[in-house]
Structures are given as structure tokens and as C-alpha cells.
Amino acid sequence: MEYTEDDKKVLNFFFTNLDKPIFAIKNMHPEVWALMQARYSRTREGIRESFLKLLKGDLENFQKLKEDIEKTECGVNSEHAIKKAIQFMEKWVLGYGHSSVAEGAVVGISLEGISILATKVVEDNRLCSFIEKSTRYVSFDNSSFYIDEDLKNSEYYEEIKEYLDYLFKIYLDLHEPVLEYVKSVAPKKESTSLPAWERSCAARRFDAIRYLLPTCTKTSLGWTVNARQLAHGISKLLSHPLKEMNNIGLEIKQEAGKVLPSLLKYADRNEY
């Protein structure tokens, strides 16, 4: 396909090349990318051609987009393309159940201050990537752990808190003696630098004592997931018997919905 100079200026902002059969997308709203990817199943056109046609559906907006790209190297959004994409999602994904479209929209989510137990519920999803605060490399303390409000107001709270404090005390008390033991059984080799050896010993120490950490210990997690799986994950969290999971599900739906407004619209509790 022959492109005008204006076409090239806009397309080069969103695609890594205009003349090769393999290319990557950039600077594109995830719902627009989901729509573009879904076009493969509905048209013979390539994505670049489909995207250009979508933008040129509103020539005034296309011209404004070109001018914005000329002024900046990042942060440009095409309001027209996003609006069209969301209209498509409303009709085909929500109206006709064409849910595979949501496979193409990927979002990154940060979850901080959630329990170790909650990370296991989140991580029980397919086709996702996770990076969790490592109990093998990071020292934890008893400054924060999750306790359900009902439990906190119950007659068992003081007893449970006593056990938690006891576990953390043992965990902290073992830091130095276990580290010394590891160093004694794994002496530094001449080929290993001192900082590398010390990091290795510290990791082995934490690896040995991390099983003392109760699963209510608060931690952090990064989650990269496509919209279809995220909607399923939100439903699982909202349907979980534990209140913390329900709260996490609500917060994820609210925050991720700011990025994927149509694809997560009907993610909800599943009574079954």
C-alpha cells in the first residue's frame, strides 16, 4: 500500500516499521490494540492499513493527531480511535460474546500491601506474568500483616496477634545465627567477589527461615495480564469466600477499568 507523508508520520509513531511483514506496536491504547488485533479474524487487510482507515474515519481528528505527533515524541492518544474501539467492544465483546478480542489488550497492575495468601489467589490465573516481592531476597518484619476486620473485632484477636508476633520474633532472631551458619558451610571461593558471596549467603539464609512467615504477611506483586483473563481473575476474587480477596477484586476492577473501560465492564461476582 502506498502511504502519503502524513500517513507515514502517523503510522511510524504507532508501528516499528511500515514495509516489513513483522512489526511491533507502540504508543497505542490497549483497547485500540485489542481491536486492531481482532481485525485479523474479520478482514483481509493488514493492521497498519486497518488502523489508518480507522483514524481517517475522522479526517479532522487525523490531522490533529499528526500535528500532535509533530510536537511530541510520546503521550499522544487518538481520541477518535479510542472511541471507535470502545464502541466496537460494546457491540461485539459485550453484545455478541466475541470475548477473544479481549485477549489482545494487556495491562500491568501493581498490588501493594496485600497478604502472601492473596498473591497465591491472584497467581492462580493462566497466561499471566507475575513478579512478587521475594521472601528469598528481602527481609520482612512484623510492621504490617493483614487481619480481617471481623477477626480483629473477635475474642480471638489477642491470641492470634500473640502467635503472629511470636513467629516474627523467631524469624528476626534467626537472621544472624542462620547467616553465620550459612557462611561457615559455604566459604567464599577465590573466584567469587565478596559482595556476590554475601548476597548469596543472605539469600540462602532467607530461603531457610522464610517458612516462618505467616501467610497474612503483607507483600507486593506486579501482574501483567490480558483483559480476558483479568475479567476472569476479578470474578474469581469477587467470588472468593475471604473478604480480603473481595476487596482486592473491587479495587482491581476500579483501577484497571480506567485503562480498559469496556473490556472489564461486566466482570463481577459469580454465584456459581
Side-chain angles (χ1 to χ4, degrees):
M1 180 175 177
E2 292 295 323
Y3 298 119
T4 67
E5 289 304 311
D6 285 351
D7 293 346
K8 291 177 182 178
K9 192 164 292 183
V10 172
L11 290 176
N12 277 319
F13 185 79
F14 292 102
F15 301 95
T16 56
N17 71 68
L18 305 184
D19 57 355
K20 297 177 182 178
I22 296 176
F23 51 90
I25 61 107
K26 54 183 180 175
N27 304 317
M28 191 176 291
H29 190 282
E31 293 208 356
V32 177
W33 167 238
L35 170 58
M36 290 299 99
Q37 186 173 232
R39 295 277 291 179
Y40 276 137
S41 69
R42 294 292 186 272
T43 179
R44 296 176 62 181
E45 292 179 333
I47 282 180
R48 289 169 295 203
E49 291 75 26
S50 292
F51 185 62
L52 193 61
K53 184 180 292 185
L54 180 71
L55 292 178
K56 285 191 168 182
D58 184 336
L59 288 175
E60 184 179 343
N61 184 270
F62 178 80
Q63 186 63 28
K64 182 178 182 299
L65 175 62
K66 181 188 74 77
E67 293 170 359
D68 287 343
I69 289 172
E70 290 173 339
K71 296 175 185 176
T72 182
E73 288 300 316
C74 61
V76 175
N77 281 316
S78 168
E79 295 179 10
H80 175 70
I82 294 171
K83 181 179 178 182
K84 286 291 185 182
I86 289 175
Q87 287 175 349
F88 177 90
M89 303 306 177
E90 292 280 355
K91 180 177 180 180
W92 293 99
V93 181
L94 309 178
Y96 294 114
H98 185 20
S99 56
S100 61
V101 175
E103 296 277 1
V106 177
V107 64
I109 301 170
S110 292
L111 299 95
E112 300 178 359
I114 69 173
S115 71
I116 289 176
L117 179 62
T119 67
K120 305 314 163 207
V121 176
V122 170
E123 289 165 359
D124 186 27
N125 283 285
R126 69 178 188 93
L127 301 178
C128 307
S129 298
F130 309 97
I131 296 291
E132 185 180 340
K133 182 178 177 181
S134 177
T135 52
R136 179 175 289 155
Y137 295 106
V138 181
S139 177
F140 286 72
D141 59 43
N142 64 345
S143 61
S144 61
F145 44 84
Y146 176 84
I147 296 182
D148 185 272
E149 284 300 317
D150 291 340
L151 185 58
K152 192 175 289 186
N153 295 326
S154 77
E155 60 183 295
Y156 306 106
Y157 174 65
E158 291 301 326
E159 183 180 4
I160 288 171
K161 188 174 183 305
E162 182 181 335
Y163 285 131
L164 293 175
D165 289 339
Y166 181 61
L167 283 170
F168 275 116
K169 182 178 185 305
I170 298 174
Y171 171 79
L172 294 171
D173 287 348
L174 286 177
H175 272 46
E176 289 306 315
V178 173
L179 179 60
E180 291 305 312
Y181 173 76
V182 170
K183 288 181 175 180
S184 71
V185 298
K188 188 178 86 66
K189 298 178 181 178
E190 289 187 13
S191 59
T192 305
S193 68
L194 181 61
W197 175 70
E198 290 181 336
R199 286 194 300 271
S200 175
C201 289
R204 289 184 63 176
R205 174 262 309 271
F206 288 134
D207 199 25
I209 65 175
R210 60 181 174 155
Y211 302 100
L212 288 162
L213 293 171
T215 56
C216 62
T217 305
K218 287 186 178 180
T219 187
S220 300
L221 175 74
W223 186 12
T224 304
V225 56
N226 72 51
R228 189 180 195 179
Q229 181 58 43
L230 181 57
H232 179 63
I234 290 171
S235 178
K236 285 172 64 177
L237 286 162
L238 294 177
S239 308
H240 199 278
L242 295 180
K243 190 180 296 182
E244 184 193 12
M245 312 309 164
N246 303 157
N247 293 337
I248 292 171
L250 287 171
E251 290 181 24
I252 291 175
K253 182 176 180 179
Q254 178 180 349
E255 296 307 311
K258 296 174 182 178
V259 182
L260 304 169
S262 58
L263 294 176
L264 300 178
K265 189 172 183 179
Y266 293 115
D268 209 342
R269 177 182 174 85
N270 187 337
E271 296 300 329
Y272 300 99

